[in-house]
Amino acid sequence: RTCHSASLVAGGLGTMVKHSRVGITVLLTIALHTLTQNDMCEALNVHRASSRRQAFRDMLAITTGTTAAATLTSSPPSAMAKEAEEDLMSVYFGCGCFWHVQHEFVQAERRILKREDMSLTARAGYAGGKATDSTVCYHNALNIGDYGSLGHAEVVALRIPPSSFEEFATEYFKLFDDKGNRPDQFGDRGSEYRNLIGLPGGVKSPYAKQLVSASMAVGDKLDFAVGKGNDKDLRAVAFVMDTETYPFYVAEQYHQFHDGFNLNENYPNSYNSLASKMANSGSLQKSVCPNGALGIGVGGL
């Protein structure tokens, strides 16, 4: 699986900021009473538009024929204090294949929040589609809840302290190269692999401004657009989704804590085994989907 910043209207700010790749900044202040919500969304839209996963797809084809952000002070609280003092927020990030992305966010949880194995919250899954089906699955021979057909993309969800959101957003932008290409840009393509950022309130969220700050901090690589569901896969564009309207659906156990999309991207067993450990402890959300493409439950089959 070979699985710029941004125009973005932040709700309540009445401001659209466009940061160009070449470092030119244009700030347009817009009086809210002259701008309808529709206009705000339209102003934000962007109009420009051999691996493990390939082997997996080939096999399947043969067998099936187919709320406000906390202010950080000069002496921030410890990671454990953040967890204890703040209500956690649910967010998700999509950037191509979720295997590699989950690993990177697990590492971020360990580093930023000092979480240990059984406290990790990064989960591979699906989001971003208009469909409201409660069953969302990976491609399978029974064609049950196929996530691609439902308009969803692969994402990784986390539960984090709100004061840590910008740090995690920064980790997300680090996944892209200096031209805004994701790691698997020239491998996995299509709407199932589009770039997504899900947060409470979407572009109206008080955290939207932090997305711009995080993106600028790591090279101003992406543009943002309002996610409307079933969005197209556009290079160097991330769709911002409202998690209430476009919720997260956890992926099957065999996709959790998986090796990366490149053939040589193998993670240690201590990482791979987290899925079964969490399942046994009951801390891994259980998917009701077939356990494998063919329902066998071994090796992704």
Side-chain angles (χ1 to χ4, degrees):
R1 174 169 174 161
T2 54
C3 236
H4 114 41
S5 168
S7 66
L8 179 138
V9 175
L13 296 179
T15 302
M16 181 177 76
V17 184
K18 172 70 180 179
H19 305 282
S20 75
R21 296 181 180 87
V22 294
I24 300 173
T25 301
V26 179
L27 177 64
L28 300 177
T29 302
I30 306 170
L32 280 175
H33 67 277
T34 65
L35 188 64
T36 67
Q37 181 177 343
N38 236 18
D39 294 328
M40 291 177 73
C41 292
E42 290 305 320
L44 187 56
N45 280 328
V46 177
H47 300 289
R48 48 178 194 164
S50 160
S51 71
R52 282 192 179 91
R53 174 54 69 86
Q54 187 58 54
F56 189 77
R57 281 198 295 252
D58 291 344
M59 175 277 295
L60 188 57
I62 292 171
T63 57
T64 67
T66 49
T67 161
T71 301
L72 297 179
T73 67
S74 57
S75 300
S78 68
M80 293 183 66
K82 287 181 182 180
E83 298 250 30
E85 296 175 2
E86 300 180 55
D87 290 333
L88 301 183
M89 66 184 292
S90 296
V91 296
Y92 58 74
F93 299 92
C95 175
C97 168
F98 50 19
W99 293 341
H100 173 78
V101 178
Q102 182 180 27
H103 178 264
E104 297 308 295
F105 277 113
V106 163
Q107 297 303 98
E109 284 192 88
R110 295 188 191 278
R111 185 175 63 257
I112 297 170
L113 301 177
K114 311 304 179 187
R115 285 177 173 167
E116 298 184 352
D117 285 358
M118 301 307 287
S119 297
L120 296 168
T121 65
R123 299 289 187 270
Y126 317 106
K130 291 181 179 180
T132 57
D133 303 50
S134 59
T135 300
V136 181
C137 309
Y138 191 71
H139 310 303
N140 59 87
L142 300 178
N143 200 31
I144 297 175
D146 184 285
Y147 81 101
S149 299
L150 296 174
H152 295 295
E154 297 186 12
V155 300
V156 171
L158 308 102
R159 287 182 54 75
I160 59 176
S163 59
S164 298
F165 174 72
E166 189 166 343
E167 291 180 88
F168 280 90
T170 298
E171 293 301 315
Y172 174 69
F173 295 120
K174 286 180 180 178
L175 294 170
F176 299 84
D177 69 16
D178 57 2
K179 295 182 180 180
N181 296 313
R182 58 179 179 253
D184 65 345
Q185 187 70 53
F186 305 104
D188 288 332
R189 303 183 188 184
S191 62
E192 296 174 5
Y193 307 105
R194 64 191 185 270
N195 307 321
L196 296 180
I197 301 170
L199 62 160
V203 297
K204 297 178 182 179
S205 169
Y207 304 100
K209 184 177 179 181
Q210 294 185 32
L211 282 178
V212 176
S213 299
S215 181
M216 292 292 289
V218 293
D220 193 16
K221 304 171 182 180
L222 300 181
D223 285 332
F224 299 127
V226 175
K228 296 183 177 181
N230 295 43
D231 302 291
K232 295 181 178 180
D233 181 17
L234 301 179
R235 192 192 66 79
V237 174
F239 293 94
V240 181
M241 318 300 295
D242 185 340
T243 53
E244 183 174 351
T245 305
Y246 302 99
F248 169 79
Y249 300 89
V250 68
E252 299 82 348
Q253 182 177 329
Y254 68 88
H255 278 307
Q256 307 297 336
F257 308 101
H258 197 287
D259 285 333
F261 47 77
N262 291 320
L263 288 173
N264 62 349
E265 193 177 357
N266 299 315
Y267 305 133
N269 183 62
S270 58
Y271 174 81
N272 300 143
S273 63
L274 288 173
S276 59
K277 288 181 180 179
M278 290 182 177
N280 290 336
S281 71
S283 61
L284 186 71
Q285 289 174 268
K286 186 174 182 180
S287 169
V288 297
C289 297
N291 187 22
L294 303 179
I296 298 174
V298 178
L301 300 178

